[in-house]
Amino acid sequence: MHLFMQIDGYCKNIVDNENLINKIASFGFDIVECDGHNLADIQKAFETETVKPKCIIAHTIKGKELTFLLEQYENPLEYHCWPIPNDLLDKTLENIDDDAR
């Protein structure tokens, strides 16, 4: 089950995101979905030609591969939009691939 989040909470608690793709399409957009953790997939989404204006939905997982954050915080929202302690910040930066910076 995917728990969609935005900066201040779970989307289900803030706005109804049922049929999100259909809602966006109803505004006249073509929808292109991609893996938001895969640069090649993101690039492909940008290069995909559409007839209408394009909306890219990049599927991501907050804290992906930073398991120590999941161990420290019970709720991903705690490290998504609030400062984390310097020791965890240093550990996070060490885990980011140099190519991604």
Side-chain angles (χ1 to χ4, degrees), residues 72-88:
Q72 180 75 22
Y73 297 99
E74 184 176 311
N75 183 338
L77 292 170
E78 293 180 61
Y79 61 80
H80 176 58
C81 60
W82 306 114
I84 61 174
N86 285 338
D87 60 326
L88 289 177

Side-chain angles (χ1 to χ4, degrees), residues 1 15 20 28 35 39 46 50 64 68 72 78 96 101:
M1 177 172 97
V15 66
L20 179 63
D35 175 350
L39 292 177
F46 276 101
T50 60
K64 180 178 170 62
F68 59 89
Q72 180 75 22
E78 293 180 61
I96 295 175
R101 291 185 198 204

Side-chain angles (χ1 to χ4, degrees), residues 3-6 8-15 75-77:
L3 295 176
F4 298 102
M5 293 183 250
Q6 61 185 53
D8 56 351
Y10 290 97
C11 294
K12 68 180 182 172
N13 298 332
I14 298 164
V15 66
N75 183 338
L77 292 170

Side-chain angles (χ1 to χ4, degrees), residues 33-90:
E33 296 181 72
C34 69
D35 175 350
H37 299 289
N38 181 311
L39 292 177
D41 209 31
I42 295 169
Q43 182 68 34
K44 183 179 173 186
F46 276 101
E47 293 172 351
T48 299
E49 292 195 26
T50 60
V51 175
K52 303 173 190 173
K54 181 188 330 181
C55 175
I56 297 174
I57 297 178
H59 299 279
T60 60
I61 298 170
K62 289 165 184 47
K64 180 178 170 62
E65 298 180 15
L66 300 174
T67 55
F68 59 89
L69 285 177
L70 295 174
E71 293 165 1
Q72 180 75 22
Y73 297 99
E74 184 176 311
N75 183 338
L77 292 170
E78 293 180 61
Y79 61 80
H80 176 58
C81 60
W82 306 114
I84 61 174
N86 285 338
D87 60 326
L88 289 177
L89 176 59
D90 293 340

